Amino acid sequence: DNDEFFGTIKAPLEAGQDTGWDIVTPTTWMAKKIVDLGWAEKFDKSNMPNFVANLADEFKGRAADSSNDYLAPWQSLMTGLGINTKKTTPFTKFSGLWDPKLKGKVVLLTELRDTVGLVMLGNGADPSVPTRPTFDAAIATLQGEINSGQVRKLASQGYTELLISDSAYAAIAWSGDVGIIKLDKPELDFVVPDEGGMYATDNMLIPKGAKNKYTAELWIDFYYRPEIAAIVEAYVQYICPVKGAAEEIAKIDPALATNPLIFPDAATKSRLKVWGDVSAEDQAYFDEQFSGIVEGVGG
């Protein structure tokens, strides 16, 4: 997850050394942190004409990078429910994860904003304006379900293996992951809960001191060619940041051009929340409390 990976590059960045990576893809909140610390290379956009021409409008002027000088959106994602419809009765409410029939077969994410965000929504709170009381209530809900044995594990990307192997029947899941698994496991469905889901973007960023900055810029720009973005989307099935990709993906498979995991409709997008900004003090408190949860159940 973001925090775990950041821990592997923080020391060389602090020391002004090459991290060994020419491109990393943190989620926006972490990407902003890296930019604000001065640890990202500024793009030379003369090397990136496709990026300049084809970046989707929703990503222009973001608070994290108002001039689009440091972050190139890679994919956006919805966080919702992954449900094995062969192993459990399908459900659309978040509270379905707490059905006793799923005891020990639920896996959650180690990303605070995704897991706590959905629990907040399930509690009737709004994660776009998180507060200590709503956060504490979500943590109490989580701790109760962990203590009861309802939750098997909190995992990072490895949660997908639990779904594939039927070690978990339901999960807080990322939309594209479910789309990929579903190719071989059609009984797995992705659901944005009735209460809403979370929305986030992963961004390509060149770490300060990267040895191959010029080539990294060319590589990022390559992905902003619509015909290349379409090939990527046909596989990863996340939400595309590149203008013209929908038209190109229709040439690969017309059904993909209307796939709701790649191109969610306005009604779905209206039910998605982005985790809200809070003070550094509150975020440190949130991180500490959630880390205790993760360490207690296994991440």
Side-chain angles (χ1 to χ4, degrees):
D1 60 24
N2 282 283
D3 284 315
E4 183 181 8
F5 180 73
F6 181 69
T8 70
I9 61 173
K10 182 180 179 183
L13 287 170
E14 284 179 326
Q17 299 172 351
D18 177 28
T19 64
W21 301 100
D22 294 317
I23 300 173
V24 299
T25 54
T27 306
T28 301
W29 63 269
M30 177 59 79
K32 183 179 186 301
K33 178 178 179 177
I34 294 171
V35 171
D36 288 349
L37 287 166
W39 292 346
E41 292 283 357
K42 185 176 182 179
F43 295 148
D44 181 346
K45 293 179 187 172
S46 66
N47 298 324
M48 306 170 72
N50 294 305
F51 171 66
V52 172
N54 299 325
L55 176 65
D57 291 341
E58 73 170 280
F59 299 107
K60 295 177 180 178
R62 293 184 296 167
D65 183 24
S66 59
S67 298
N68 302 109
D69 285 334
Y70 298 95
L71 307 181
W74 165 243
Q75 304 289 310
S76 293
L77 55 102
M78 297 180 284
T79 306
L81 305 174
I83 302 170
N84 187 322
T85 59
K86 277 190 176 179
K87 297 294 186 178
T88 188
T89 303
F91 55 92
T92 60
K93 289 190 175 296
F94 180 78
S95 58
L97 284 180
W98 311 145
D99 186 332
K101 294 177 182 177
L102 286 173
K103 185 173 183 178
K105 293 293 187 177
V106 174
V107 60
L108 310 179
L109 295 167
T110 55
E111 285 280 359
L112 181 155
R113 290 155 181 80
D114 293 313
T115 288
V116 177
L118 277 187
V119 175
M120 279 186 178
L121 286 165
N123 284 350
D126 185 354
S128 68
V129 284
T131 64
R132 288 206 185 197
T134 59
F135 177 85
D136 288 343
I139 290 295
T141 298
L142 270 176
Q143 192 65 70
E145 298 299 339
I146 289 166
N147 292 347
S148 73
Q150 184 74 13
V151 175
R152 178 187 180 96
K153 188 176 184 181
L154 270 71
S156 54
Q157 196 63 50
Y159 82 95
T160 58
E161 296 302 319
L162 298 178
L163 290 172
I164 291 168
S165 67
D166 288 341
S167 298
Y169 298 161
I172 289 180
W174 290 312
S175 52
D177 286 344
V178 174
I180 292 171
I181 297 170
K182 191 177 178 70
L183 295 174
D184 295 317
K185 200 176 182 70
E187 64 269 28
L188 190 66
D189 281 349
F190 179 81
V191 174
V192 175
D194 294 344
E195 300 92 334
M198 299 300 291
Y199 182 74
T201 301
D202 290 340
N203 307 267
M204 293 181 280
L205 173 155
I206 304 174
K208 195 73 173 177
K211 290 182 179 178
N212 302 295
K213 177 178 182 289
Y214 168 71
T215 310
E217 288 166 346
L218 298 186
W219 188 243
I220 292 169
D221 198 58
F222 172 75
Y223 281 114
Y224 270 78
R225 290 164 51 184
E227 69 274 18
I228 301 302
I231 294 170
V232 173
E233 297 309 325
Y235 180 72
V236 304
Q237 299 197 20
Y238 279 105
I239 301 170
C240 185
V242 180
K243 289 180 180 177
E247 293 78 7
E248 291 294 330
I249 205 170
K251 300 174 185 177
I252 299 171
D253 181 349
L256 292 174
T258 56
N259 185 322
L261 297 184
I262 305 173
F263 304 106
D265 59 27
T268 299
K269 280 193 169 183
S270 71
R271 296 194 292 120
L272 302 176
K273 299 286 187 178
V274 176
W275 182 269
D277 292 332
V278 296
S279 68
E281 181 182 0
D282 278 352
Q283 192 58 56
Y285 172 78
F286 293 169
D287 290 341
E288 180 182 9
Q289 297 300 310
F290 187 67
S291 291
I293 291 278
V294 173
E295 291 167 5
V297 73

